Amino acid sequence: MTVAQQSLISPTANPELEKALRDRVDRRSAIAGGLGELEPLAVRLGLVQNSLTPRFRDPVLGLFAADHGIVVDGVGAQWGRATRDQVQMALHAQLPVSVFARLQGLHLTVVDCGVADNLPPHARLLARKVAHGTRNSRTAHAMSLEQAHAGVRVGMEIADNLPGNVLACAAMGQGSAECAALVLSRLADQPVRDFVVSGPTMRQDELVHLLDVLHGAQSRHRDVRDPMDLLASFGGHELSVMVGAMLVAASKRSLIIVDGIAACAALKLASLICAPVTDYAVFCRSHVHRGLDEALALFHASALLELGMDSADGTGAALAWPMIRAAAALLTDLHEVAEARLARPPASAQVPTLGA
């Protein structure tokens, strides 16, 4: 991203507008009672669009799919299904996320960022393959620096051509979460274990093997810190494409819905390129996963909904979308109550009581 493009991402901070938004929300609450977390969300949406009446159009749920070389070491086999099969299931409404997206009016798009296999054409498939998967980061760079930059440019082109002002980002593919954990571990200077332990029921032998592989990758790239070098070292292609898409979405003042640890890693990388990008993000989750808890903590954020799911990334975004629409409606669709309407009706118009 050029310096000129970076400067287009404006921080959303606007004290005068924020006060006006809060006053607007408070007037609603004074009439009908408080609406809890919907209230700060409504204010956040107004700041994102720099408007007292934020309105959303043509929302897109992007599933960014790629394969990762690290899976050859026996890690990241999500649900035992190849990435190509996950993509096909999403495209043919065989995953809950596909059905929920349709029900909620989200345009589901699967982006082939780097799936190892060639995929047949489909109306909801965007073929933007940077390469046929990455290499194994334990033994080499996952991708070249040129490929990392190419992925960012692909994401920028995708977001630049979106007709609407909402982009939900989620990842799909074997090894995606593990690559994201490597990136976040380095950026946060925290043990990679923090980002891969799913919970108390995780099998110890699986954890030991996973950490052995990931520590090997970390050791090989122990001195890497630059965000683009990190992308090249650990992968994957879906991360680089999401980075570019998030940067351009923020420059257009679009709302970014972040779902899953890979999307969190992409946002963290994007924030190192241009910090205000995080102002445009809200977070949701499709998993009960301790690693995702750690990822959200890096942004001092919590998910919009906590439903105890263990589903494909993107499911949480589809289910959170009605909540986001409802928060915006507090500002746009709820009519102000005039003082005159609150006065008692004249005596001639009052309904007589029983026995009168």
Side-chain angles (χ1 to χ4, degrees):
M1 194 175 195
T2 67
V3 173
Q5 287 170 316
Q6 288 182 35
S7 66
L8 295 177
I9 303 181
S10 303
T12 60
N14 184 333
E16 184 177 349
L17 175 61
E18 183 172 356
K19 182 181 185 304
L21 287 164
R22 292 189 185 281
D23 289 346
R24 196 176 182 93
V25 170
D26 287 346
R27 288 198 298 273
R28 272 72 167 153
S29 300
I31 296 166
L35 289 167
E37 294 302 315
L38 281 183
E39 296 178 9
L41 177 58
V43 172
R44 182 79 179 277
L45 300 178
L47 292 173
V48 164
Q49 290 198 2
N50 196 33
S51 171
L52 277 172
T53 55
R55 296 185 184 279
F56 297 106
R57 65 183 190 280
D58 300 321
V60 170
L61 171 52
L63 301 181
F64 295 81
D67 276 302
H68 306 80
I70 202 167
V71 301
V72 302
D73 282 333
V75 302
Q78 190 178 36
W79 300 303
R81 288 197 298 268
T83 303
R84 66 175 182 277
D85 295 333
Q86 296 177 38
V87 168
Q88 291 301 317
M89 292 178 74
L91 291 173
H92 294 92
Q94 294 170 327
L95 293 178
V97 60
S98 309
V99 176
F100 296 158
R102 176 176 55 80
L103 287 173
Q104 308 303 344
L106 286 160
H107 181 75
L108 178 72
T109 300
V110 180
V111 184
D112 177 5
C113 310
V115 179
D117 301 273
N118 288 320
L119 300 172
H122 191 281
R124 288 189 293 276
L125 177 65
L126 199 56
R128 294 293 187 273
K129 198 188 298 287
V130 179
H132 291 262
T134 63
R135 295 183 292 273
N136 185 353
S137 61
R138 189 183 60 81
T139 59
H141 281 77
M143 65 179 84
S144 67
L145 191 57
E146 291 76 16
Q147 287 175 327
H149 282 284
V152 173
R153 289 194 298 271
V154 165
M156 294 172 71
E157 176 259 328
I158 290 172
D160 196 41
N161 288 314
L162 290 179
N165 58 1
V166 180
L167 175 62
C169 292
M172 175 173 282
Q174 291 189 346
S176 178
E178 289 72 21
C179 290
L182 286 168
V183 170
L184 290 172
S185 172
R186 183 63 52 84
L187 293 178
D189 197 23
Q190 288 181 226
V192 70
R193 177 191 178 99
D194 291 353
F195 297 99
V196 296
V197 174
S198 59
T201 61
M202 187 175 188
R203 284 177 48 180
Q204 189 64 25
D205 58 335
E206 291 181 356
L207 178 59
V208 169
H209 174 65
L210 175 58
L211 290 178
D212 182 57
V213 173
L214 298 184
H215 288 156
Q218 288 184 314
S219 296
R220 184 170 187 86
H221 310 286
R222 63 173 60 87
D223 298 323
V224 177
R225 296 287 172 181
D226 177 80
M228 295 307 297
D229 289 337
L230 272 176
L231 267 174
S233 296
F234 298 126
H237 295 302
E238 83 287 3
L239 294 184
S240 60
V241 175
M242 280 194 286
V243 167
M246 290 174 175
L247 288 169
V248 169
S251 75
K252 296 168 65 176
R253 299 199 81 102
S254 294
L255 179 69
I256 304 167
I257 306 174
V258 178
D259 187 356
I261 194 167
C264 286
L267 181 64
K268 194 66 178 175
L269 287 165
S271 73
L272 297 178
I273 297 171
C274 193
V277 68
T278 58
D279 289 2
Y280 295 87
V282 295
F283 298 83
C284 49
R285 66 189 303 161
S286 302
H287 305 274
V288 176
H289 193 291
R290 286 185 180 176
L292 184 54
D293 293 340
E294 294 292 335
L296 292 172
L298 298 179
F299 300 97
H300 308 288
S302 58
L304 294 178
L305 297 175
E306 298 278 357
L307 297 177
M309 296 187 296
D310 185 17
S311 187
D313 283 351
T315 309
L319 293 174
W321 176 237
M323 178 180 177
I324 295 170
R325 292 180 61 197
L330 288 179
L331 298 169
T332 59
D333 296 346
L334 195 62
H335 298 295
E336 296 285 350
V337 178
E339 289 300 320
R341 296 181 190 170
L342 298 178
R344 287 175 59 84
S348 60
Q350 291 184 19
V351 178
T353 59
L354 292 176

